[in-house]
Coordinates of all heavy atoms in Angstrom, one line a residue:
D1 N 19.6 91.7 117.1 CA 18.8 92.7 116.4 C 19.1 94.1 117.0 O 18.0 94.7 117.2 CB 17.4 92.3 116.6 CG 17.1 91.1 115.7 OD1 17.6 90.9 114.7 OD2 16.3 90.2 116.2
L2 N 20.4 94.5 117.1 CA 20.7 95.8 117.6 C 20.7 96.9 116.3 O 21.0 96.4 115.3 CB 22.0 95.9 118.1 CG 22.3 95.0 119.4 CD1 23.7 95.0 119.8 CD2 21.4 95.6 120.6
T3 N 20.4 98.1 116.6 CA 20.5 99.1 115.6 C 22.0 99.4 115.6 O 22.7 99.1 116.5 CB 19.7 100.3 115.9 OG1 20.3 100.9 117.1 CG2 18.3 100.0 116.1
I4 N 22.4 100.1 114.5 CA 23.8 100.5 114.3 C 24.2 101.5 115.5 O 25.3 101.5 116.1 CB 24.2 101.0 113.0 CG1 25.7 101.1 112.8 CG2 23.5 102.3 112.7 CD1 26.2 101.2 111.5
E5 N 23.3 102.3 115.9 CA 23.5 103.2 116.9 C 23.6 102.5 118.4 O 24.6 102.8 119.1 CB 22.2 104.1 117.1 CG 22.2 105.2 116.0 CD 21.3 104.5 114.8 OE1 20.8 103.4 115.0 OE2 21.2 105.1 113.8
Q6 N 22.9 101.6 118.5 CA 23.0 100.6 119.8 C 24.4 100.0 119.9 O 25.1 99.9 120.9 CB 21.9 99.8 120.0 CG 20.6 100.3 120.2 CD 19.4 99.4 120.1 OE1 19.5 98.4 119.3 NE2 18.3 99.5 120.9
F7 N 24.7 99.4 118.8 CA 26.0 98.6 118.6 C 27.1 99.4 118.7 O 28.1 99.1 119.5 CB 26.0 97.9 117.2 CG 27.2 96.9 117.1 CD1 27.2 95.8 117.8 CD2 28.1 97.3 116.2 CE1 28.3 95.0 117.5 CE2 29.4 96.5 116.0 CZ 29.4 95.3 116.8
A8 N 27.1 100.5 118.1 CA 28.2 101.5 118.2 C 28.4 101.9 119.7 O 29.6 102.1 120.2 CB 28.1 102.7 117.3
G9 N 27.3 102.3 120.4 CA 27.4 102.6 121.8 C 28.1 101.6 122.6 O 28.9 101.7 123.5
I10 N 27.6 100.3 122.5 CA 28.1 99.1 123.1 C 29.7 99.0 122.8 O 30.5 98.7 123.9 CB 27.4 97.9 122.8 CG1 25.9 98.0 123.4 CG2 28.1 96.7 123.3 CD1 24.9 96.9 122.9
V11 N 29.9 99.0 121.5 CA 31.5 98.9 121.2 C 32.3 99.9 121.9 O 33.3 99.7 122.4 CB 31.6 98.9 119.7 CG1 33.1 99.0 119.2 CG2 31.0 97.6 119.0
Y12 N 31.8 101.2 121.8 CA 32.6 102.3 122.4 C 32.7 102.1 123.9 O 33.8 102.2 124.4 CB 31.9 103.7 122.1 CG 32.8 104.8 122.4 CD1 33.6 105.3 121.4 CD2 32.8 105.4 123.7 CE1 34.5 106.4 121.7 CE2 33.6 106.4 124.0 CZ 34.4 106.9 123.0 OH 35.3 107.9 123.3
E13 N 31.7 101.8 124.5 CA 31.8 101.6 125.9 C 32.7 100.3 126.4 O 33.5 100.5 127.3 CB 30.5 101.3 126.7 CG 29.6 102.7 126.7 CD 30.2 103.7 127.6 OE1 30.7 103.3 128.7 OE2 30.2 104.9 127.2
N14 N 32.5 99.3 125.6 CA 33.4 98.1 126.0 C 35.0 98.5 125.6 O 35.8 98.0 126.3 CB 32.9 96.8 125.3 CG 31.8 96.3 125.8 OD1 31.7 96.1 127.0 ND2 30.8 96.1 125.1
W15 N 35.1 99.2 124.5 CA 36.4 99.6 124.3 C 37.1 100.3 125.3 O 38.3 100.2 125.7 CB 36.4 100.4 122.9 CG 37.8 101.1 122.7 CD1 39.0 100.5 122.3 CD2 38.1 102.5 122.6 NE1 40.0 101.5 122.1 CE2 39.4 102.7 122.3 CE3 37.1 103.6 122.9 CZ2 39.9 103.8 122.2 CZ3 37.8 104.8 122.7 CH2 39.1 104.9 122.4
G16 N 36.4 101.3 125.9 CA 36.9 102.1 127.1 C 37.3 101.3 128.3 O 38.1 101.7 129.0
Y17 N 36.6 100.2 128.4 CA 37.0 99.3 129.6 C 37.9 98.1 129.3 O 38.1 97.3 130.1 CB 35.6 98.9 130.2 CG 35.0 100.0 130.9 CD1 33.8 100.4 130.3 CD2 35.4 100.7 132.1 CE1 33.1 101.6 130.9 CE2 34.8 101.8 132.8 CZ 33.6 102.3 132.0 OH 33.0 103.3 132.6
S18 N 38.3 98.0 128.0 CA 39.2 97.0 127.7 C 40.5 96.9 128.3 O 41.1 98.0 128.4 CB 39.3 96.9 126.0 OG 40.3 96.0 125.6
P19 N 41.0 95.7 128.7 CA 42.4 95.7 129.2 C 43.4 96.1 128.3 O 44.5 96.4 128.6 CB 42.6 94.3 129.8 CG 41.4 93.4 129.1 CD 40.4 94.4 128.8
L20 N 43.0 96.1 126.9 CA 44.1 96.4 126.0 C 44.3 98.0 125.8 O 45.3 98.5 125.4 CB 43.5 96.0 124.6 CG 43.4 94.5 124.3 CD1 42.9 94.1 123.0 CD2 44.8 93.8 124.6
F21 N 43.2 98.8 126.4 CA 43.3 100.1 126.5 C 43.0 100.5 127.8 O 41.9 100.7 128.3 CB 42.2 100.8 125.6 CG 42.3 100.4 124.0 CD1 41.5 99.2 123.6 CD2 43.3 101.1 123.3 CE1 41.7 99.0 122.4 CE2 43.4 100.7 121.9 CZ 42.7 99.7 121.5
P22 N 44.1 100.6 128.7 CA 43.9 101.0 130.0 C 43.0 102.1 130.3 O 43.1 103.2 129.7 CB 45.3 101.3 130.6 CG 46.1 100.6 129.6 CD 45.6 100.8 128.3
F23 N 42.1 102.0 131.3 CA 41.1 103.1 131.5 C 41.7 104.3 132.0 O 42.4 104.3 132.9 CB 40.0 102.5 132.4 CG 39.0 103.6 132.8 CD1 38.0 103.7 132.0 CD2 39.1 104.4 134.0 CE1 37.0 104.8 132.3 CE2 38.1 105.3 134.2 CZ 37.1 105.4 133.3
T24 N 41.3 105.3 131.1 CA 41.7 106.7 131.7 C 40.4 107.5 131.3 O 39.7 107.1 130.4 CB 42.9 107.3 131.1 OG1 42.6 107.5 129.7 CG2 44.1 106.4 131.3
E25 N 40.4 108.7 131.9 CA 39.2 109.6 131.5 C 39.3 110.1 130.2 O 38.3 110.5 129.5 CB 39.1 110.8 132.5 CG 38.4 110.4 133.8 CD 36.9 109.9 133.6 OE1 36.2 110.5 133.0 OE2 36.7 108.8 134.2
T26 N 40.5 110.1 129.5 CA 40.7 110.6 128.2 C 39.9 109.7 127.2 O 39.7 110.2 126.1 CB 42.2 110.6 127.8 OG1 42.7 109.5 127.9 CG2 42.8 111.7 128.7
W27 N 39.6 108.5 127.4 CA 38.9 107.7 126.4 C 37.5 108.3 126.1 O 37.1 108.0 125.0 CB 38.9 106.2 126.7 CG 37.8 105.8 127.8 CD1 38.2 105.8 129.1 CD2 36.4 105.4 127.6 NE1 37.1 105.4 129.8 CE2 36.0 105.3 128.9 CE3 35.8 105.3 126.5 CZ2 34.6 104.7 129.1 CZ3 34.3 104.9 126.7 CH2 33.9 104.7 128.1
R28 N 37.0 109.0 127.1 CA 35.7 109.7 126.9 C 35.9 110.8 125.9 O 34.8 111.2 125.5 CB 35.1 110.1 128.2 CG 34.8 108.9 129.2 CD 34.1 109.4 130.4 NE 33.8 108.3 131.3 CZ 32.8 107.5 131.2 NH1 31.9 107.7 130.1 NH2 32.5 106.6 132.0
D29 N 37.0 111.2 125.5 CA 37.2 112.2 124.5 C 37.2 111.7 123.1 O 37.4 112.5 122.2 CB 38.6 113.0 124.9 CG 38.7 113.6 126.2 OD1 37.6 114.0 126.7 OD2 39.7 113.9 126.6
G30 N 37.3 110.4 123.0 CA 37.4 109.8 121.7 C 36.2 109.8 120.8 O 35.3 110.2 121.2
V31 N 36.5 109.2 119.6 CA 35.4 109.1 118.5 C 35.6 107.8 117.9 O 36.7 107.4 117.6 CB 35.6 110.3 117.5 CG1 34.6 110.1 116.4 CG2 35.4 111.6 118.1
L32 N 34.5 107.1 117.6 CA 34.4 105.9 117.0 C 33.6 106.0 115.6 O 32.6 106.6 115.7 CB 33.7 104.8 117.8 CG 33.4 103.6 117.2 CD1 34.6 102.6 116.9 CD2 32.4 102.7 118.0
V33 N 34.3 105.6 114.7 CA 33.6 105.7 113.3 C 33.3 104.2 113.0 O 34.2 103.3 112.8 CB 34.5 106.3 112.3 CG1 33.7 106.4 111.0 CG2 34.7 107.8 112.6
L34 N 32.1 103.8 112.9 CA 31.8 102.5 112.6 C 31.0 102.3 111.3 O 30.1 103.1 111.0 CB 30.7 101.9 113.6 CG 30.2 100.6 113.5 CD1 31.2 99.4 113.6 CD2 29.0 100.4 114.5
V35 N 31.5 101.6 110.4 CA 31.0 101.5 109.0 C 30.7 100.0 108.7 O 31.6 99.1 109.0 CB 31.9 101.9 107.9 CG1 31.5 101.7 106.5 CG2 32.4 103.4 108.2
S36 N 29.5 99.7 108.3 CA 29.1 98.3 107.9 C 28.7 98.3 106.5 O 27.7 98.7 106.0 CB 27.7 98.0 108.7 OG 27.4 96.7 108.2
K37 N 29.7 98.1 105.7 CA 29.7 98.1 104.2 C 28.5 97.3 103.6 O 27.8 97.8 102.8 CB 31.0 97.8 103.6 CG 31.1 97.9 102.0 CD 32.4 97.6 101.6 CE 32.5 97.9 100.1 NZ 33.8 97.5 99.6
A38 N 28.4 96.1 104.1 CA 27.4 95.2 103.6 C 26.0 95.8 103.8 O 25.1 95.6 103.0 CB 27.5 93.8 104.1
D39 N 25.8 96.4 105.0 CA 24.5 96.9 105.3 C 24.3 98.3 104.8 O 23.2 98.8 105.0 CB 24.3 96.9 106.8 CG 24.2 95.5 107.5 OD1 23.8 94.6 106.8 OD2 24.7 95.3 108.5
R40 N 25.4 99.0 104.4 CA 25.4 100.3 103.9 C 24.8 101.3 105.0 O 24.0 102.2 104.8 CB 24.5 100.4 102.6 CG 25.0 99.7 101.5 CD 24.1 99.7 100.2 NE 23.9 101.0 99.8 CZ 24.5 101.7 99.0 NH1 25.5 101.2 98.4 NH2 24.2 103.0 98.6
K41 N 25.5 101.1 106.1 CA 25.2 101.9 107.3 C 26.5 102.4 107.9 O 27.6 101.7 107.9 CB 24.4 101.2 108.4 CG 23.1 100.8 107.8 CD 22.3 100.1 109.0 CE 20.8 99.8 108.4 NZ 20.0 99.2 109.5
A42 N 26.4 103.6 108.5 CA 27.7 104.1 109.3 C 27.2 104.8 110.5 O 26.0 105.3 110.6 CB 28.3 104.9 108.3
R43 N 28.0 105.0 111.4 CA 27.7 105.7 112.6 C 29.0 106.3 113.2 O 30.0 105.7 113.1 CB 27.1 104.8 113.7 CG 26.9 105.3 115.1 CD 25.7 106.2 115.2 NE 25.5 106.6 116.5 CZ 24.9 107.5 116.9 NH1 23.8 108.0 116.1 NH2 24.6 107.8 118.1
I44 N 28.8 107.6 113.6 CA 29.9 108.2 114.3 C 29.5 108.3 115.8 O 28.5 109.0 116.1 CB 30.2 109.7 113.8 CG1 30.6 109.5 112.2 CG2 31.2 110.4 114.5 CD1 30.8 110.9 111.6
E45 N 30.3 107.7 116.7 CA 29.9 107.6 118.1 C 31.0 108.5 118.7 O 32.1 108.2 118.7 CB 29.9 106.3 118.6 CG 29.5 106.1 120.0 CD 28.0 106.2 120.1 OE1 27.1 106.0 119.1 OE2 27.5 106.5 121.3
F46 N 30.4 109.4 119.6 CA 31.4 110.3 120.4 C 31.4 109.9 121.8 O 30.4 109.5 122.3 CB 30.9 111.8 120.4 CG 31.0 112.4 119.0 CD1 29.9 112.5 118.1 CD2 32.3 112.9 118.7 CE1 30.1 113.0 116.8 CE2 32.4 113.6 117.3 CZ 31.3 113.6 116.4
G47 N 32.5 110.0 122.5 CA 32.6 109.9 123.9 C 31.8 110.9 124.7 O 31.4 111.8 124.1
A48 N 31.6 110.6 126.0 CA 30.6 111.4 126.8 C 31.1 112.8 126.9 O 30.3 113.8 127.1 CB 30.6 110.9 128.1
T49 N 32.4 113.1 126.7 CA 32.9 114.5 126.9 C 32.4 115.4 125.7 O 32.1 116.6 125.9 CB 34.5 114.5 126.8 OG1 35.0 113.6 127.7 CG2 35.0 115.9 126.9
W50 N 32.1 114.9 124.6 CA 31.6 115.7 123.4 C 30.2 116.2 123.8 O 29.8 117.4 123.3 CB 31.5 114.9 122.1 CG 32.9 114.6 121.7 CD1 33.6 113.4 122.0 CD2 33.9 115.3 120.9 NE1 34.8 113.4 121.5 CE2 35.0 114.6 120.9 CE3 33.8 116.5 120.3 CZ2 36.1 115.1 120.1 CZ3 34.9 117.0 119.6 CH2 36.1 116.3 119.5
A51 N 29.3 115.5 124.3 CA 28.0 116.0 124.7 C 27.2 116.7 123.7 O 26.6 117.8 123.9 CB 28.0 116.8 126.0
G52 N 27.3 116.2 122.5 CA 26.5 116.9 121.4 C 27.2 118.0 120.7 O 26.5 118.6 119.8
D53 N 28.3 118.4 121.2 CA 29.0 119.5 120.6 C 29.4 119.4 119.1 O 29.7 120.3 118.4 CB 30.2 120.0 121.5 CG 29.9 120.5 122.8 OD1 28.7 120.9 123.0 OD2 30.6 120.3 123.6
S54 N 29.5 118.2 118.6 CA 30.1 118.0 117.4 C 29.0 117.3 116.3 O 29.4 116.8 115.4 CB 31.3 117.2 117.5 OG 32.3 117.9 118.1
D55 N 27.7 117.5 116.7 CA 26.8 116.9 115.8 C 26.7 117.4 114.4 O 26.6 116.7 113.5 CB 25.3 117.2 116.4 CG 25.1 116.2 117.7 OD1 26.1 115.4 118.0 OD2 24.2 116.4 118.3
R56 N 27.0 118.8 114.3 CA 27.1 119.3 113.0 C 28.2 118.8 112.1 O 28.1 118.5 111.0 CB 27.2 120.9 113.1 CG 27.0 121.5 111.8 CD 27.1 123.0 111.9 NE 26.6 123.5 113.2 CZ 26.6 124.8 113.5 NH1 27.0 125.7 112.7 NH2 26.1 125.1 114.7
E57 N 29.3 118.7 112.7 CA 30.5 118.1 112.1 C 30.4 116.7 111.7 O 30.7 116.3 110.6 CB 31.8 118.3 112.9 CG 32.3 119.7 113.1 CD 31.5 120.5 114.3 OE1 30.7 119.9 114.8 OE2 32.1 121.6 114.6
A58 N 29.7 115.9 112.6 CA 29.5 114.6 112.3 C 28.6 114.4 111.2 O 28.7 113.6 110.3 CB 28.8 113.8 113.5
A59 N 27.5 115.2 111.2 CA 26.5 115.3 109.9 C 27.3 115.5 108.7 O 27.0 114.8 107.6 CB 25.4 116.2 110.2
Y60 N 28.2 116.5 108.8 CA 29.0 116.9 107.6 C 29.8 115.7 107.0 O 29.7 115.3 105.8 CB 29.8 118.1 107.8 CG 30.6 118.4 106.5 CD1 30.0 119.2 105.7 CD2 31.9 117.9 106.3 CE1 30.9 119.6 104.4 CE2 32.6 118.2 105.3 CZ 32.0 119.0 104.3 OH 32.8 119.3 103.2
I61 N 30.4 115.0 108.0 CA 31.2 114.0 107.5 C 30.4 112.8 106.9 O 30.9 112.1 106.0 CB 32.1 113.4 108.7 CG1 33.1 114.5 109.1 CG2 32.7 112.1 108.5 CD1 33.7 114.2 110.4
M62 N 29.3 112.5 107.7 CA 28.3 111.4 107.2 C 27.9 111.8 105.8 O 27.9 110.9 104.8 CB 27.3 111.3 108.1 CG 27.6 110.6 109.4 SD 28.1 108.8 109.3 CE 26.6 108.1 108.9
D63 N 27.4 113.0 105.5 CA 26.7 113.4 104.4 C 27.7 113.6 103.2 O 27.3 113.3 102.0 CB 25.8 114.6 104.5 CG 24.7 114.4 105.5 OD1 24.3 113.3 105.6 OD2 24.3 115.5 106.0
N64 N 29.0 114.1 103.4 CA 29.8 114.5 102.3 C 30.9 113.5 102.2 O 31.8 113.6 101.1 CB 30.3 115.9 102.6 CG 29.1 116.8 102.6 OD1 28.7 117.2 101.5 ND2 28.8 117.4 103.6
I65 N 31.1 112.6 103.1 CA 32.3 111.8 102.9 C 32.0 110.3 103.0 O 32.1 109.5 102.1 CB 33.5 112.1 104.0 CG1 33.9 113.5 103.8 CG2 34.6 111.0 103.9 CD1 34.9 114.0 104.9
L66 N 31.3 109.9 104.2 CA 31.0 108.5 104.2 C 30.0 107.9 103.4 O 30.1 106.8 102.7 CB 30.7 108.2 105.8 CG 31.7 108.2 106.7 CD1 31.2 108.0 108.2 CD2 32.9 107.3 106.4
V67 N 28.8 108.5 103.4 CA 27.7 108.1 102.6 C 28.0 108.1 101.0 O 27.8 107.0 100.3 CB 26.4 108.9 102.7 CG1 25.3 108.5 101.9 CG2 25.9 108.7 104.3
P68 N 28.6 109.1 100.5 CA 29.1 109.0 99.1 C 30.0 108.0 98.8 O 30.0 107.4 97.6 CB 29.7 110.4 98.8 CG 29.1 111.4 99.8 CD 28.8 110.5 101.0
A69 N 30.8 107.6 99.7 CA 31.8 106.4 99.6 C 31.0 105.1 99.3 O 31.6 104.2 98.7 CB 32.8 106.3 100.6
F70 N 29.8 105.0 99.9 CA 29.2 103.7 99.6 C 28.7 103.6 98.2 O 28.5 102.7 97.6 CB 27.9 103.7 100.4 CG 28.2 103.5 101.9 CD1 27.7 104.2 102.8 CD2 28.7 102.3 102.4 CE1 28.0 104.0 104.3 CE2 28.9 102.1 103.8 CZ 28.5 103.0 104.6

């Protein structure tokens, strides 16, 4: 019973520590776009480096690209 925000955070963190993606500090610069078509939910999860700097851009992408695609 996780929210999409919680699930995206867990996926992003686990991806960063996965042996398939050797850990480097640069993974904290990444962005995860998670879309659950059946639930009609989406989330843009930023690495720690972003620290809220791209919230406006994420909102634009959600409102103008992802949500209309549903």
